[in-house]
Amino acid sequence: MLVNGKPYRTVWMEGSAVKLIDQHQLPHAFSIATCPTHRETAEAIRTMLVRGAGAIGAAAGYAMAQAVLEAPDATFTSCVEQAASLIRSTRPTAHDLFYAVAHVRGAIERVSSLAEARQAAVHMAEQLADENAKAGETIGRVGAALLRDGMRIMTHCNAGWLAFVDWGSALAPIYHAHRQGRSLSVYVNETRPRSQGAKLTAWELAQEGVAHTVMADTAAGSLFQQGQVDGVMVGADRIAANGDVVNKIGTYTLAVLAKHHGVP
């Protein structure tokens, strides 16, 4: 992601510390939070200093790696298990979090020494973060083909850079298309009650230079009725085998409006 023209990830690891963009401070201030221990990283997840499925998963993987680095040799297994329980308790509905915890635990179980376990944990956490960033980039590259020049897209919540390690999901195609020279404009639902759209999505789009308008959630119907919406792009917390999508409250409203007005 670009912040004042400089590339950043949402979450990363430096030494044994985890660094995160502090989403509590946005959009009024950009700051980096430092979490020296797994407990502080877990607290950052719990308090939504970091949020969004992919970013939570990466932060959880890094928190597990920190726990493995911190665990004393004599009580290594019990300390790692306690840390895993703590991290899982921070966001019980976040599938990516449980996935990351399980994969870091699996990595340390496949090696024979504590030194190898510590290396394996960090390597797996970094791998999970890189895979998340690559997934976002791929979503953007593939999804950009759906967007034509001049489209007016409506979004809900935040499914962009800040919700992934990089690129995001629903916003990634918009960023790719913008960088390919297509002129797009975005209606940003404010997304009550936490205002992730107004605070986070609008900030991201401004950093990338994408034209956008923040709107009250209840104004969506009026814009559809006036024919001002060409497409809707939202994230997906879960996708069922039959194609049903579970996402932030308010998504159903947009789905019904889009179907009624023939908007993809």
Side-chain angles (χ1 to χ4, degrees), residues 10-68:
T10 301
V11 54
W12 67 98
M13 198 168 185
E14 289 185 9
S16 61
V18 174
K19 302 276 190 174
L20 312 103
I21 293 177
D22 187 342
Q23 298 190 33
H24 288 166
Q25 303 301 317
L26 296 174
H28 305 294
F30 174 75
S31 63
I32 304 299
T34 300
C35 300
T37 71
H38 79 276
R39 292 186 177 278
E40 287 161 297
T41 304
E43 184 66 6
I45 297 170
R46 189 188 69 79
T47 61
M48 294 183 72
L49 184 148
V50 60
R51 44 140 302 281
I56 288 172
Y62 285 135
M64 277 298 298
Q66 286 179 300
V68 173

Side-chain angles (χ1 to χ4, degrees), residues 71-259:
D73 291 359
T75 56
F76 181 83
T77 301
S78 62
C79 286
V80 170
E81 288 303 312
Q82 289 173 13
S85 296
L86 172 66
I87 295 163
R88 285 194 296 259
S89 71
T90 59
R91 292 293 295 275
T93 61
H95 174 75
D96 289 48
L97 181 148
F98 287 84
Y99 178 90
V101 170
H103 275 65
V104 174
R105 288 180 66 195
I108 67 176
E109 290 169 358
R110 289 191 292 270
V111 297
S112 55
S113 71
L114 293 184
E116 289 176 318
R118 300 187 203 283
Q119 292 178 346
V122 174
H123 178 75
M124 178 55 71
E126 294 287 11
Q127 181 180 320
L128 291 169
D130 289 345
E131 287 175 355
N132 184 257
K134 183 178 179 181
E137 194 278 333
T138 303
I139 289 170
R141 179 164 36 82
V142 173
L146 300 171
L147 304 179
R148 65 181 185 276
D149 194 57
M151 284 188 80
R152 299 160 296 181
I153 304 296
M154 185 174 289
T155 67
H156 194 64
C157 196
N158 173 257
W161 290 329
L162 294 166
F164 267 50
V165 174
D166 204 357
W167 286 102
S169 57
L171 296 185
I174 293 172
Y175 295 139
H176 270 262
H178 175 74
R179 292 185 184 188
Q180 291 167 3
R182 270 166 276 176
S183 177
L184 304 171
S185 58
V186 182
Y187 289 118
V188 181
N189 276 9
E190 59 180 343
T191 318
R192 297 288 181 111
R194 295 188 68 95
S195 298
Q196 293 99 321
K199 292 179 179 178
L200 304 179
T201 297
W203 179 82
E204 284 190 25
L205 292 168
Q207 294 296 320
E208 186 66 21
V210 177
H212 61 282
T213 302
V214 177
M215 49 172 279
D217 296 343
T218 50
S222 177
L223 290 174
F224 277 97
Q225 190 273 331
Q226 295 171 35
Q228 295 187 37
V229 182
D230 301 309
V232 181
M233 302 190 78
V234 299
D237 291 330
R238 298 287 176 89
I239 302 174
N242 68 349
D244 287 351
V245 170
V246 179
N247 191 50
K248 169 69 64 180
I249 190 168
T251 303
Y252 176 76
T253 303
L254 297 184
V256 171
L257 284 167
K259 183 176 182 179

